[in-house]
Amino acid sequence: MREQGENDEHVETETVEKSAETSEQMEATGEVSNEQPFHTVTVPQSVQSLENIYEVQVLNSSQNISAGYNLPFRHNRGQPPKRYSPDHGMSKSKYPIANHVSTQKLSEPLKALAHKLFTEDVPKTVNEALNNPKWIQAIEEEMEALQKNNTWKLVPLPEGKKTVGCRWVFSVKHKVDGSVERYKARLVAKGYTQTYGIDYQETFSPITKLNTVRVLISLAANLDWPLHQFDVKNAFLHGDLEEEVYMDVPPGLTSPMQGKVVCKLQKALYGLKQSPRAWFGRFSFAMRRYGYKQSNSDHTLFLKHQREKVTALIIYVDDMIITGNDREEISKLQEQLATEFEMKNLGGLKYFLGIEVARSRQGIFLSQRKYVLDLLSETGMLDCKPADTPVVQNHGLGEFPNQAPTNKERYQRLVGKLIYLSHTRPDIAYDVSLVSQFMHYPSEDHMSVVIRILRYLKSSPGRGLMFRKHQHLHINGYTDADWAGNITDRKSTSGYFTFVGGNLVTWRSKKQKVVALSSAEAEFRGMTKGLCELLWLKRLMEEIGCSSQDTMNMFCDNKAAITIAHNPVQHDRTKYVEVDRHFIKQKLEDNVIQFPFVKSEDQLADILTKAVSGKIFHNSLDKLGIADIYAPT
C-alpha cells in the first residue's frame, strides 16, 4: 500500500512538472491559449479518504473528472489598471503591456501628445484614403501644391522612353499639445526603377548624423539653449531637375487628354535619386547667403557666430532644428527662411524622426516609445513574457553547419528596425551588432536572439536617454574590448562610450576586422577607435564655439594597453599595431588625451563587448544616464 502511494505521488509530480514546462514555453513565445486549463491529477490512496471532508470541484469545460479533484479558480490575478492608452490589454494576458509603460508621471501636454500618437490611423493604400474625406482633402492639397510649383506637364510618352512609377504616402502631423495639425499626403516617385546614367547622374547628399543632434541637445541641456523645430513644406519641389524624367500619372488623377499620357517632370520630386542632392544644394546656397558656414565635422550643420554668440541649424532632409544663445538671430533666420521657402513652425522640439523629446527642469529626455510599441504590435509580441536582459550570458552565437535556416527577409527587416532603435537605446547596441553579423544567412538560433531582444524591449518600451545639466562641457570616454570573443573566427569585439557635458552622446559596438594576438592588442585597437571619436567631438565643439581646453580622458581597464601607449620603445608584441601606437603617442605628447586606469567593475563600456549578468547590466545603465519616465509607478 505504501509503495503504491509513492508511485502515485511520483506520477503526480512528473505530470505537474511537464505542465509547468509547457506553460513556460508558451509564455516565452507569447502564445496564449483561449481554452480553459485542463488538469489531470492522480490521487494517491492515502488521501482518498479526505474526499469526504473537502469538497473538490473539477474545472472542466464539459464534464467533471470523478477520479480526481480540481484546483480552485485563481481570483488573485486581477486586471491591470488602465495606465496606457490605447488599451491593448483587452485580452486577458498574463504579461499585459500596461505593466511596463505608463504616462502617469508626465505633464498634461506631454501626456496628450503621447496618447494622440496612437489614436490616428494612417491608410496603407490610396483606396483606403479615398474613402475618408480628411485624406481626400490632404491629397487635393498636395496636388494643388504640385500644380502651383509646375512640377510636371502632361505629354505623350516619347518612343524609347520608360516611365518611373509613383505612389502616395500618408502621415499625421501633431502640434506641441498633441492635437492634430494636419493630415499629410505626399506623392513619392519610385526612384528604385531609375537607371544610372540615363535618369540620373550624381546623387550624393549629406545626411545628418544623429550623434551631432545628441551633442546639440546636450549643449541645450547644459547651457539652457532653446530647441525649435521647423518643417519645409514640399522641400524637394524646390530643387531643380536637370535630367529628362517621365513619371506615371499619379493614382486617383484623371487626365483631360486623350490616349496614353505621362508626367514629364520639371521639378524634383520625393523618391527620385537626384532629389536629395538638388534640394540640399538649393538650401545650402540660401544658408551661405544668410552668412552661415557649413561645419566640416557635419555638413548638415550650419553655424553663425556674431557678438560672441552662436546660432546653429541642423537639417535632416526637410526637418530642421535651430538652437543657440542668440535669440535675435534665431528669429531673424526664421523670417529669412520663410521668405524663400514655405516653412512651418512646429514650436519646441517634441517629435523628431520618430524620436520623442520631453523637456523639464530635470533635463531633456529622448526615447522611441511609440517605435518600440509599434514594433511589438507588428510582431505580435505585446503580450509576450518580458526578459531582463537583451541576450543571455555565454550565448555562443555563431555560424555552424547544419543550422536550420529562418525567413531571411523577416530577419533582415527586424534587425534593420532594431538598428534604428539603437539611436536612443545604447543598452541594445552590442546585441544589435551581434545579430547584424548574420544578415546574409540567418538561422533559427539567430532569430531566437532577435526575439529575445524584443522580449527585453517589452520590459521597458519607454527607456531612453536623459540629458541633464552638469555645469561643465568636458569630453570623456570609456573604451573596452573582449579578446577573441567570437567563437567562429576568434575576432575581438571593441566598444566605446563618449560623453559631452556629462551626457552620453555617442557609442559603438563593433567586431574588429583582424584577429588580435593578445588582449592588450585588442584593447589597443579599441582605444584607437575611441580616440578618433573623441577627436571628432573636440573638433565639433570647437566649431560650435563651446570647446574645453581640458585634456580629454579615455578610461581603460587594461594596464598593458595603457603602458604600451606611454612606452616609446617598439616591442615584438606591438609591431602589429605600430601605426595605432604612433597615432596615440602623438596625441599623448600634445596633451590632447590621457588614459586613466579604471577597474573592470567600473568599466561602463563592458556591456558593449559581451553579454553580462543582469546585475552588472542594470548598474551600467544607471551610470550611463539611461532612464524611463514612462515606467509605471
Side-chain angles (χ1 to χ4, degrees):
M1 191 69 182
R2 181 178 179 182
E3 294 179 357
Q4 179 65 28
E6 292 178 351
N7 293 335
D8 292 338
E9 291 175 357
H10 175 70
V11 171
E12 177 184 354
T13 304
E14 182 178 1
T15 304
V16 173
E17 289 178 351
K18 289 183 178 180
S19 177
E21 293 177 358
T22 305
S23 176
E24 291 179 357
Q25 292 176 0
M26 294 177 65
E27 292 171 356
T29 56
E31 298 178 0
V32 180
S33 176
N34 294 325
E35 299 179 358
Q36 294 290 335
F38 184 87
H39 301 278
T40 303
V41 182
T42 304
V43 183
Q45 296 181 6
S46 58
V47 300
Q48 289 181 357
S49 60
L50 298 178
E51 293 181 357
N52 297 328
I53 301 175
Y54 298 101
E55 182 179 358
V56 182
Q57 296 181 353
V58 179
L59 296 178
N60 192 4
S61 59
S62 59
Q63 61 182 357
N64 294 339
I65 304 176
S66 60
Y69 63 91
N70 277 346
L71 297 176
F73 181 77
R74 289 181 59 185
H75 296 284
N76 60 342
R77 180 166 295 181
Q79 294 294 331
K82 296 182 179 181
R83 294 177 296 206
Y84 172 72
S85 180
D87 186 9
H88 291 281
M90 297 303 293
S91 61
K92 295 182 179 180
S93 170
K94 189 174 182 180
Y95 306 101
I97 190 65
N99 289 350
H100 304 281
V101 60
S102 171
T103 58
Q104 283 185 340
K105 296 185 292 185
L106 305 182
S107 62
E108 289 301 324
L110 186 59
K111 184 185 297 185
L113 176 62
H115 290 175
K116 284 289 185 178
L117 291 177
F118 286 92
T119 56
E120 296 293 338
D121 294 329
V122 178
K124 303 297 183 182
T125 63
V126 66
N127 292 331
E128 294 181 20
L130 293 177
N131 293 327
N132 194 319
K134 58 187 179 184
W135 291 110
I136 294 177
Q137 182 180 356
I139 293 176
E140 292 176 351
E141 291 177 357
E142 175 73 0
M143 292 302 300
E144 290 177 2
L146 294 172
Q147 295 173 1
K148 180 181 178 181
N149 196 59
N150 295 322
T151 308
W152 65 66
K153 62 179 180 180
L154 297 176
V155 298
L157 180 64
E159 186 177 354
K161 294 290 184 178
K162 295 182 179 180
T163 59
V164 176
C166 60
R167 62 186 294 263
W168 287 100
V169 177
F170 306 95
S171 62
V172 181
K173 294 292 183 179
H174 294 273
K175 296 181 181 179
V176 177
D177 60 355
S179 60
V180 176
E181 179 185 8
R182 67 189 178 102
Y183 298 95
K184 184 176 181 179
R186 173 172 289 170
L187 185 65
V188 178
K190 298 180 180 180
Y192 55 85
T193 61
Q194 291 181 273
T195 304
Y196 176 73
I198 300 177
D199 299 319
Y200 66 94
Q201 300 295 332
E202 294 295 332
T203 63
F204 174 77
S205 178
I207 296 296
T208 300
K209 299 178 182 178
L210 290 182
N211 293 346
T212 309
V213 175
R214 289 191 291 266
V215 171
L216 293 177
I217 292 177
S218 180
L219 292 176
N222 278 286
L223 303 175
D224 295 323
W225 286 358
L227 289 169
H228 299 285
Q229 184 179 5
F230 292 87
D231 175 72
V232 182
K233 189 174 181 180
N234 301 110
F236 280 10
L237 303 186
H238 297 284
D240 296 324
L241 192 63
E242 299 177 356
E243 295 83 5
E244 186 178 357
V245 181
Y246 296 92
M247 186 184 72
D248 293 336
V249 176
L253 177 66
T254 58
S255 172
M257 300 178 61
Q258 299 292 332
K260 173 70 174 178
V261 295
V262 295
C263 300
K264 182 180 181 181
L265 297 182
Q266 302 178 127
K267 296 285 186 177
L269 193 67
Y270 286 91
L272 293 178
K273 294 286 188 179
Q274 60 268 52
S275 293
R277 181 181 180 88
W279 152 244
F280 188 80
R282 170 78 183 279
F283 181 81
S284 59
F285 177 77
M287 291 299 293
R288 288 194 296 268
R289 195 169 66 249
Y290 301 151
Y292 284 77
K293 294 183 179 180
Q294 281 182 273
S295 168
N296 292 322
S297 302
D298 189 338
H299 288 182
T300 61
L301 176 64
F302 297 87
L303 300 167
K304 185 175 184 179
H305 297 271
Q306 58 181 6
R307 300 187 302 273
E308 297 183 354
K309 293 184 178 181
V310 62
T311 305
L313 181 147
I314 191 166
I315 183 170
Y316 189 99
V317 188
D318 57 353
D319 292 311
M320 60 186 70
I321 300 174
I322 302 177
T323 186
N325 55 359
D326 193 344
R327 297 182 182 272
E328 294 181 3
E329 177 59 29
I330 292 177
S331 301
K332 181 180 177 181
L333 177 60
Q334 297 175 17
E335 297 174 357
Q336 290 173 330
L337 290 174
T339 58
E340 187 150 358
F341 308 106
E342 191 172 352
M343 305 286 296
K344 277 195 170 292
N345 187 350
L346 302 180
L349 184 62
K350 294 293 182 182
Y351 194 71
F352 182 74
L353 304 178
I355 299 174
E356 301 172 50
V357 183
R359 188 166 192 172
S360 65
R361 289 177 296 179
Q362 286 75 28
I364 304 174
F365 182 74
L366 304 184
S367 72
Q368 291 172 274
R369 176 190 60 96
K370 181 181 183 299
Y371 188 89
V372 173
L373 294 174
D374 288 343
L375 179 58
L376 293 175
S377 178
E378 177 187 338
T379 55
M381 298 188 65
L382 274 175
D383 294 331
C384 71
K385 182 179 180 180
D388 187 51
T389 57
V391 67
V392 297
Q393 285 185 274
N394 305 318
H395 49 77
L397 199 65
E399 293 182 346
F400 306 101
N402 302 324
Q403 282 185 323
T406 188
N407 189 317
K408 182 177 179 180
E409 182 179 352
R410 180 171 182 262
Y411 182 87
Q412 292 177 344
R413 176 178 175 83
L414 289 177
V415 173
K417 287 180 174 291
L418 292 176
I419 290 174
Y420 187 73
L421 178 60
S422 61
H423 287 310
T424 60
R425 298 294 296 262
D427 50 336
I428 64 171
Y430 166 74
D431 317 288
V432 173
S433 173
L434 178 67
V435 296
S436 299
Q437 301 172 17
F438 312 103
M439 300 280 271
H440 58 288
Y441 187 68
S443 67
E444 291 292 342
D445 295 335
H446 305 145
M447 180 62 81
S448 65
V449 177
V450 174
I451 299 301
R452 167 84 182 201
I453 298 175
L454 294 176
R455 290 176 52 209
Y456 166 73
L457 294 174
K458 161 71 181 293
S459 66
S460 54
R463 183 169 287 166
L465 289 174
M466 177 64 78
F467 295 82
R468 302 184 186 274
K469 188 174 183 179
H470 294 281
Q471 305 291 345
H472 68 82
L473 297 177
H474 301 322
I475 303 175
N476 298 314
Y478 289 80
T479 178
D480 195 20
D482 179 40
W483 179 50
N486 191 295
I487 63 175
T488 303
D489 53 18
R490 286 305 176 185
K491 291 181 180 179
S492 306
T493 301
S494 58
Y496 61 77
F497 284 121
T498 62
F499 297 79
V500 171
N503 298 311
L504 179 63
V505 291
T506 68
W507 55 87
R508 192 179 190 187
S509 175
K510 187 175 179 62
K511 187 172 75 170
Q512 296 181 0
K513 294 184 178 181
V514 297
V515 179
L517 300 181
S518 65
S519 61
E521 182 181 334
E523 293 274 1
F524 207 75
R525 296 185 188 277
M527 289 168 61
T528 306
K529 299 299 182 182
L531 176 55
C532 291
E533 186 72 6
L534 289 183
L535 294 176
W536 176 78
L537 289 173
K538 183 178 179 63
R539 186 166 57 249
L540 176 63
M541 294 287 285
E542 289 175 349
E543 291 182 344
I544 297 175
C546 300
S547 61
S548 175
Q549 301 300 325
D550 298 335
T551 302
M552 297 183 295
N553 293 321
M554 176 62 77
F555 295 95
C556 180
D557 62 355
N558 190 289
K559 291 185 177 180
I562 297 175
T563 303
I564 292 173
H566 289 84
N567 191 353
V569 181
Q570 176 77 15
H571 293 284
D572 288 342
R573 65 188 303 183
T574 63
K575 62 185 179 182
Y576 305 105
V577 289
E578 181 181 1
V579 176
D580 294 339
R581 187 181 66 83
H582 285 291
F583 172 68
I584 294 177
K585 178 175 175 292
Q586 179 184 355
K587 301 305 176 184
L588 284 170
E589 293 176 350
D590 296 339
N591 292 325
V592 174
I593 188 72
Q594 60 184 5
F595 295 96
F597 174 75
V598 64
K599 295 181 180 180
S600 297
E601 55 266 25
D602 297 326
Q603 175 58 268
L604 300 182
D606 195 32
I607 64 174
L608 294 177
T609 61
K610 58 180 176 292
V612 297
S613 64
K615 181 180 180 180
I616 297 176
F617 180 77
H618 290 285
N619 286 341
S620 299
L621 298 189
D622 295 336
K623 297 176 182 178
L624 290 170
I626 300 176
D628 188 358
I629 66 173
Y630 298 99
T633 55

